[in-house]
């Protein structure tokens, strides 16, 4: 089987160290999803009762949580690109 070539025509071998680094970054995503489903969503009712707000207002907690995760994802991606270019 032939090793795929990149856009410059050079051979590119599979880097196992890079795969382990990617696994270390991506594996916690499953934990975050389980946290959201197992801890945050069931606690919305308790948050609603404790702060005396209605369901429409407390739903913003999940929205803000997911938006923060999306923005942080982009920031960390840009930071990773910066660090790779720096040679770290």
């Amino acid at each position: 089987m032939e090793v795929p070539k990149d856009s410059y025509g050079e051979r590119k071998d599979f880097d196992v160290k890079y795969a382990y680094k990617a696994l270390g970054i991506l594996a916690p995503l499953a934990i975050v999803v389980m946290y959201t489903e197992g801890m945050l969503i069931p606690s919305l009712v308790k948050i609603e009762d404790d702060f005396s707000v209605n369901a429409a207002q407390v739903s913003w907690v999940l929205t803000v949580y997911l938006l923060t995760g999306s923005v942080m994802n982009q920031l960390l991606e840009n930071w990773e690109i910066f660090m790779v270019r720096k040679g770290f």
Side-chain angles (χ1 to χ4, degrees):
M1 188 163 122
E2 187 175 329
V3 177
K5 297 181 179 186
D6 63 4
S7 60
Y8 300 110
E10 299 173 3
R11 289 175 57 101
K12 217 174 193 181
D13 295 328
F14 183 74
D15 187 8
V16 176
K17 289 182 181 180
Y18 179 79
Y20 283 130
K21 287 179 185 177
L23 179 65
I25 293 170
L26 295 176
L29 291 177
I31 296 170
V32 170
V33 170
M34 288 187 291
Y35 165 75
T36 302
E37 292 176 354
M39 298 293 284
L40 185 60
I41 293 174
S43 68
L44 291 178
V45 175
K46 179 76 171 144
I47 293 170
E48 183 179 347
D49 293 338
D50 288 348
F51 289 100
S52 301
V53 294
N54 59 22
Q57 292 171 326
V58 80
S59 67
W60 281 101
V61 172
L62 184 59
T63 303
V64 168
Y65 176 77
L66 294 173
L67 276 173
T68 303
S70 299
V71 170
M72 288 303 297
N73 183 23
Q74 292 300 315
L75 291 174
L76 288 175
E77 181 180 345
N78 289 337
W79 180 70
E80 176 191 9
I81 291 170
F82 171 75
M83 294 303 282
V84 167
R85 288 183 182 165
K86 191 175 178 180
F88 179 67

